[in-house]
Amino acid sequence: MGAGPGLGAAVARRFGREGFGVGLVARDRGRLDAIVDGLTAGGITARGCTADVRRPAELAAALRELADALGTVEVLQYSPVPHRDFMRPVLDTGHRDLVGPIEFSVYGPVAAVQQVLPGMRRLGRGTILFVNGGSAAVPHPERAGTSIAFAAESAYGRLLHDRLAGEGIHVAQLVIPGAITPGHARKDPDALARTLWALHRDRHGFRHYADDLES
């Protein structure tokens, strides 16, 4: 969810090399087509669907379409990039300013999980990966919207982790402090993709950090 040319494409390549068919969801059709073309040129089965994560019905329809084309969803990654206008100082944030962040970081994940969970349960296995910025762990007074919404998303993910572990479905969160940085040892897109693959493979713990929170 929220596929782009950086982290989304890197994760698609990493899981695709392990034999997964890859479904990508984003709002921009041109961007999706470019990523899909690059993946298929590398021998990876891939398909893209457009949807806005702030529109739950649209998101669920995209996931249904991808499952019809590629098979039951076994791994879900939710990692859209928040809008800049979600990051207002706390004293300048009114209740209406929280609508977008909550739609983005709560309604979107819930809609996505509810769509793929029945299939994972039929398989008897699955992985759900939430990717968030550092304000998910340490609230930032200049980024109130994402701090509040990421906290809610984190709580939802943790509840899923605790409830679904006994069904063979692993739920984990990767917190990325600061910016995704090409060439960085731990925050380069390919390095993060390796970390997310390891979370899927090793299946332990809920919250993980890509780097030190001070970075």
Side-chain angles (χ1 to χ4, degrees):
M1 303 291 102
L7 180 61
V11 172
R13 290 192 298 269
R14 185 66 184 85
F15 278 77
R17 287 198 299 270
E18 298 293 335
F20 281 87
V22 178
L24 303 108
V25 177
R27 291 183 300 163
D28 189 307
R29 169 54 66 183
R31 174 179 290 184
L32 274 175
D33 289 344
I35 298 171
V36 169
D37 289 347
L39 293 169
T40 55
I44 294 169
T45 300
R47 185 175 179 129
C49 283
T50 57
D52 186 337
V53 299
R54 293 174 62 181
R55 298 176 178 174
E58 202 173 282
L59 182 56
L63 286 166
R64 283 195 300 272
E65 183 177 334
L66 290 171
D68 288 343
L70 299 169
T72 301
V73 176
E74 184 176 344
V75 180
L76 172 72
Q77 177 180 310
Y78 191 88
S79 57
V81 178
H83 298 271
R84 288 187 179 276
D85 61 2
F86 294 173
M87 303 180 196
R88 299 177 186 271
V90 63
L91 296 182
D92 296 334
T93 300
H95 68 280
R96 290 186 179 86
D97 297 315
L98 295 176
V99 173
I102 295 298
E103 289 176 338
F104 195 87
S105 294
V106 180
Y107 297 171
V110 172
V113 169
Q114 288 295 306
Q115 183 60 40
V116 304
L117 187 55
M120 291 182 178
R121 281 175 152 160
R122 287 193 296 271
L123 288 175
R125 64 182 185 275
T127 301
I128 299 169
L129 300 169
F130 295 107
V131 180
N132 296 108
S135 59
V138 179
H140 195 297
E142 300 302 310
R143 301 170 187 165
T146 54
S147 295
I148 293 165
F150 282 173
E153 182 180 347
S154 298
Y156 177 61
R158 183 63 199 233
L159 292 170
L160 291 174
H161 170 86
D162 294 343
R163 181 57 61 91
L164 294 174
E167 298 185 43
I169 298 170
H170 180 59
V171 182
Q173 178 190 50
L174 180 64
V175 174
I176 306 173
I180 295 173
T181 308
H184 190 283
R186 299 176 68 181
K187 295 192 292 184
D188 177 87
D190 288 332
L192 293 168
R194 290 192 294 271
T195 299
L196 288 161
W197 171 256
L199 296 184
H200 163 69
R201 180 193 64 206
D202 298 339
R203 311 178 74 72
H204 64 82
F206 171 65
R207 176 172 284 177
H208 304 262
Y209 295 91
D211 202 0
D212 299 330
L213 283 173
E214 295 77 15
S215 64

